[in-house]
Amino acid sequence: MTAPRTLYRKLVDAHTVQRLSDDEVLLGIDLHIMNEYTSPQAFSGLADSQRPVWRPGAHLAVVSHVNATRRNGPGDDDAALLIRTLEDNCRTHGIACYSLKDARQGIEHVVVPEQGLARPGMAIACGDSHTTTYGAFGALGFGIGTSEVEHVLATQTLVYTPLKDFRIVIDGPLPLGVTAKDLAIRAVAEVRAGGANGYAVEFAGAAIEALDIAGRMTVCNMAVELGARAALMAPNQAVTDFLKGKPQAPTGAEWDAARAAWQGLASDPDAIFDREIVIDAATIAPQVTWGTSPDQAVAVGGTVPDPATEPTPARRAAAERSLAYMGLAAGQPVAEIAIDRAFIGSCTNSRIEDLRAAAAVLRGRHVSANVAAVVVPGSNLVRKAAEAEGLDKVFRDAGFEWRPAAGCSMCLAMNDDVAKPGERLASSTNRNFEGRQGQGARTHLMSPAMVAAAAVAGRLADVRNFPPLS
Amino acid sequence: MTPVSLIEGTAAPFGQPNVDTDVIMPKRFLKTVTRAGLADGVFADLRFQADGSEAPDFILNRPDYRGAQILVVGDNFGCGSSREHAVWGLAQLGVKVLLGTTFAGIFFDNCRRNGLLAVTLDSATRDALLARVADPAQAQLTVDLPLQEIRAPGLRAGFDIEPARKQDLLTGADPIAQTLTHAESIRRFEAEAFAAAPWRRIVVG
Ligand code: SF4
């Protein structure tokens, strides 16, 4: 009998090429994803050392970040150079590249699942922190830096320090009107930013089991904000159903074998976690962030907290700094905070399910006159599907700008989609850092439906007060 | 990678928690295909004013801390985006050591790959260092990697470091070359893994 293991341990064991030292293993990587801005220096490193790519078929490059989504093209010369460099590097090494003219282009973490390339039991690395997203499929996904991108290209492995195990149980069903994003933000607020540094987090519990695939991805995506280097959920029937028939999913006998193997993939019942917390789903309300760290969040019915209640001087100072940056005062009711912009997009919340949820709020309503509202679909396939359903028309009729192209856009504002200093945003993204959506811009994170409600109200608002009109 | 051993120099206090890589290296410096020229980007929104002039109050602009090679930092330093540009920039600015409590995982690995020594201390030790170096007269520190200790007049504080990371930093290792010595094992691993789980063999279309 082997000792009971967590799902995380099983994945690490299944990918261990060999043990390197007491705390390091050489980890085999099944799939490696690249984008245009964290890969160029890795390719030049390869060129300098004249090393070939170990297994070119195991890599996918996607132009995500610099696409100017108003017109699908590079916004400036620097962006053009990044795109061209990625295309050239991929051509040289025989790597698949979904660049701007490809019908499959979009945000990398939206594109990969859409193609059926993220599967249970895989190890997936990418030069992007939100690679934790693939935990939604029971895959070990994690972000790496550019030096490690070069390492994977050259060796198809990484030198890896296994993490400790942390389980977050979300018990019971989510209340009506509460979404995966609210659950994710609440978990980050509970564990705090960096609270899970050094851990792999497994999400479990009835609320997790009930999520659809988009919701599972939203939660695993945000897990990096609490410091988790990996997020996991045991694959369930919904995962198998989702993957079946995806363009690049296994077929025939391989599919049958895969499906059978995926079924048993879970933590053993008596596996030991180094840490565990339980959150009662019934206590989760729609969440908004008020500060400049994703853990600075409250329920939409609450008030901006008083820094004086913070437990340590450092945290008090940080909260005061956040309030100053955000232009807010302690005690202010959250639902009185007026916004200038609404943004729906990002690898956290730009999938078809997210757009449907926002459209359900917007149907028959109109964006407030003071709000500039934009929606950027996560991929071209999402955009096409949304247009086929008429969602683009719902957004346009409501006063949203519907972008004709896909990408990260104002999630990090590396293209021409930049908020101005002092502007306040309701945003379906994952980071409210200082300057993230534009120098001096003030971000409030929330679910896409909550962004839609805020856009209509002209201020942060409880989506439960915006029932569907038709 | 340049080997790291003994660092003697000025330490600057930078104690705010959750300093993210967007703040360390704002996105407008990321549109580059090389590693060069990133020193100006480090903390750019804090270091410089709108007109491009230096912000006089920013810690690294004060005469006492200008050119500091050591930063004493807050909890969860380097969180957020994976951008290694943050570490390249810090190194180009001359920062050689970060003394903190916890670092975000990707940032921590990026430091190791670039010869930047990130030291994890308990909160009490870090807080004492923050308080100490806030006085410019006491801001000179020695960080001794071989002996794993931080020294200054009247101060000697040991630190732990994983043996493999210490070794990499001391020798300026090339991890890709090291890994390629295991090429045979990698090939064997791939053959076995794909035989057992064919759906893990990806050939992107
Ligand atoms: S959408 Fe935002 S968080 Fe996601 S990959 Fe793009 S920039 Fe990063």
Side-chain angles (χ1 to χ4, degrees), chain A residues 290-291 304 322-330 332 337 424 442 444:
Chain A
W290 53 267
V304 175
S322 294
L323 285 187
Y325 180 89
M326 293 297 289
L328 297 173
Q332 215 172 329
I337 299 173
R424 189 180 297 284
R442 296 159 167 167
H444 296 273

Side-chain angles (χ1 to χ4, degrees), chain A residues 260-407:
Chain A
W262 295 343
Q263 241 138 51
L265 197 60
S267 290
D268 293 327
D270 36 7
I272 310 242
F273 288 82
D274 301 285
R275 258 179 91 186
E276 175 165 282
I277 62 164
V278 180
I279 299 174
D280 178 0
T283 65
I284 306 178
Q287 302 282 307
V288 297
T289 64
W290 53 267
T292 56
S293 175
D295 60 355
Q296 293 174 319
V298 288
V300 67
T303 54
V304 175
D306 186 346
T309 61
E310 292 287 346
T312 65
R315 273 181 42 187
R316 197 171 312 137
E320 277 163 3
R321 188 188 162 90
S322 294
L323 285 187
Y325 180 89
M326 293 297 289
L328 297 173
Q332 215 172 329
V334 167
E336 284 177 7
I337 299 173
I339 60 161
D340 307 298
R341 284 178 182 271
F343 179 76
I344 294 175
S346 89
C347 57
T348 314
N349 284 119
S350 65
R351 299 184 176 83
I352 189 75
E353 294 85 347
D354 301 313
L355 303 189
R356 284 182 194 137
V361 173
L362 293 173
R363 232 174 241 117
R365 297 193 171 95
H366 202 276
V367 169
S368 159
N370 308 321
V371 176
V374 175
V375 52
V376 183
S379 71
N380 278 319
L381 293 180
V382 169
R383 180 175 59 79
K384 287 228 180 74
E387 288 170 358
E389 286 179 28
L391 298 182
D392 58 325
K393 185 164 173 354
V394 177
F395 281 106
R396 281 210 196 88
D397 288 350
F400 262 79
E401 185 184 342
W402 175 260
R403 288 293 165 79

